[in-house]
Amino acid sequence: MAILTNHEAGEPSWFELATSDQTGAKQFYTGLFGWSAQDSPMGPDQVYTMFNLDGQAAGAAYSIDAQMKAQGVPPHWGVYFPAIDDWTAKVKQLGGSVIAEPFDVMDYGRMSVRTDPGGAVFRLWQAKQHIGTTISGVDHTVCWSELATHDAPQAAEFYSALMGWNTKGAAVMSTYIEFSVAGTPRGGILPMDENWGPIPSHWGIYFLVADCEAMTAKAKNLGATARLENHTQPGVGQFSMMVDPQGAAFSLIKPERM
């Protein structure tokens, strides 16, 4: 287990669930992962739920508001990246777009919301009191972030130019692109073909588990559904692609090395 005190620029650093039922989501994820949940006020009639594991920050959740519903925003897990000062302007120069310009989040930090050229939403974060996740390398923490996109080469070029990623093709799948930050693999880019239908480009996350089959069964017992169940990929491990009871997608993985 690693206790984190900072994040490298360009690495996924925080994982935040937007949900249609915050109470139900808390029950699901605390039941599945053994997380504790702590609520804090977040504007009128809203709270922000921090998920903790062994006393360390593992992720968070908030409720989709009326404006987001009107825009058709579905339940989802969002990914944050530590930002440096010129990134918000650089996103537009590289072909991305703006959803929200930088704004302060009380004393926790400063954030902005962007889309890449393929339309996938990501968030930039300048830390003050909150650096993001403070625990990794242990079961029930995020161990891999993955961008599913209709143009993988374009995405690799965009994020590498913005965040300084090093990218390479995966040995086990010729079209999959892995990215590293400061020499450490952090995630991948998954090409979307016609079988994905109208699903837009999006970020997703994988949670580390010691027993994929047991955790998949537990998630289903708690109300989740499986899109892909206990799939073994040589050179990668065993994983399940799940949807929580509120409709947010996430994945469970037991890496082959375990």
Side-chain angles (χ1 to χ4, degrees):
M1 178 176 69
I3 303 300
L4 307 175
T5 58
N6 69 286
H7 291 279
E8 297 284 346
E11 71 170 299
S13 62
W14 188 235
F15 313 101
E16 188 179 74
L17 174 67
T19 182
S20 59
D21 178 1
Q22 198 164 344
T23 299
K26 284 191 290 184
Q27 293 173 345
F28 174 76
Y29 286 100
T30 57
L32 180 61
F33 292 137
W35 291 345
S36 62
Q38 180 179 358
D39 290 340
S40 300
M42 189 184 76
D45 303 319
Q46 283 219 358
V47 296
Y48 192 75
T49 299
M50 292 283 289
F51 291 124
N52 297 306
L53 180 65
D54 294 333
Q56 299 295 324
Y62 67 95
S63 292
I64 295 172
D65 62 22
Q67 182 179 5
M68 296 173 69
K69 289 179 183 177
Q71 294 170 343
V73 177
H76 67 278
W77 277 95
V79 179
Y80 284 71
F81 298 88
I84 55 178
D85 289 339
D86 65 344
W87 280 17
T88 51
K90 194 175 180 182
V91 167
K92 290 185 282 187
Q93 296 170 6
L94 294 170
S97 60
V98 177
I99 294 179
E101 292 285 7
F103 61 93
D104 290 319
V105 184
M106 295 181 283
D107 294 329
Y108 297 113
R110 187 168 173 81
M111 69 173 287
S112 63
V113 186
R114 298 293 197 252
T115 63
D116 64 27
V121 176
F122 65 99
R123 295 158 177 83
L124 299 177
W125 181 255
Q126 288 183 303
K128 295 178 183 177
Q129 294 183 3
H130 177 65
I131 67 161
T133 184
T134 57
I135 186 171
S136 70
V138 64
D139 288 347
H140 308 164
T141 60
V142 176
C143 64
W144 195 254
S145 298
E146 185 176 81
L147 172 65
T149 179
H150 294 283
D151 192 335
Q154 178 193 56
E157 182 178 358
F158 170 80
Y159 287 100
S160 296
L162 178 64
M163 300 184 182
W165 287 356
N166 292 315
T167 60
K168 66 175 184 178
V172 298
M173 181 179 175
S174 60
T175 57
Y176 193 88
I177 300 172
E178 296 180 357
F179 67 86
S180 299
V181 178
T184 301
R186 296 296 185 184
I189 301 173
L190 175 66
M192 302 170 72
D193 59 21
E194 63 278 0
N195 294 319
W196 289 75
I199 297 174
S201 299
H202 61 277
W203 278 93
I205 56 176
Y206 287 72
F207 291 100
L208 182 66
V209 297
D211 188 330
C212 187
E213 293 182 12
M215 289 298 292
T216 299
K218 185 177 182 181
K220 290 169 68 177
N221 287 337
L222 291 168
T225 56
R227 289 178 173 169
L228 181 65
E229 189 168 346
N230 300 319
H231 175 75
T232 298
Q233 178 69 48
V236 176
Q238 187 178 45
F239 62 92
S240 292
M241 302 179 75
M242 311 296 297
V243 179
D244 72 21
Q246 292 72 43
F250 67 97
S251 296
L252 306 169
I253 187 167
K254 178 185 178 181
E256 191 173 88
R257 66 179 182 275
M258 293 181 63

